[in-house]
Amino acid sequence: MIGERIKKLREEKRFSITELAELANVSKSYLSYIERNLNKNPSIHFLMKLAKPLDVSLEFLLNGVDQSANAPSPNGKELLDKEWQLIIEKAIKDGMNKDDFKEYMNFIKFKNWEKNR
């Protein structure tokens, strides 16, 4: 559960609920509800705020797995085929920056998590 994962990370960082809420600029009571699984559906915006002071990715908060962007491909081949390269180049030409792309990826991960829970 997300709440348990957040609580464990908070305790590992030795933050009180008050400290983490202040660092993430979120409501202490809402954070407490999430940690106690009284609210099992936190917003993506809330999770993104928590990820930074906890020093984890949104993906890790959602499912406990962190897919590093710098990890080598399993078969040693290029990570991006020509189609992916063209898609990314078009997005850049259309004005998308890295932050926009990261936010979009986080949104998609959140929607997939919502669908699969």
Side-chain angles (χ1 to χ4, degrees), residues 88-114:
I88 292 170
E89 287 171 9
K90 178 163 180 9
I92 292 168
K93 284 179 188 173
D94 290 346
M96 182 177 267
N97 62 36
K98 290 176 188 175
D99 289 335
D100 294 336
F101 191 75
K102 288 175 187 174
E103 189 171 332
Y104 180 72
M105 285 180 15
N106 285 334
F107 176 76
I108 296 300
K109 288 175 188 176
F110 179 73
K111 294 309 271 180
N112 285 337
W113 171 81
E114 251 186 345

Side-chain angles (χ1 to χ4, degrees), residues 26-68:
V26 297
S27 161
K28 179 173 118 176
S29 60
Y30 187 63
L31 175 56
S32 175
Y33 285 168
I34 298 297
E35 282 193 2
R36 292 182 290 145
N37 290 317
L38 298 176
N39 181 332
K40 298 178 183 180
N41 192 19
S43 73
I44 190 167
H45 185 68
F46 176 81
L47 294 174
M48 288 172 68
K49 285 181 163 189
L50 286 180
K52 187 167 184 141
L54 292 174
D55 196 29
V56 295
S57 67
L58 176 65
E59 185 174 12
F60 186 80
L61 288 179
L62 290 172
N63 60 30
V65 177
D66 196 2
Q67 299 286 335
S68 172

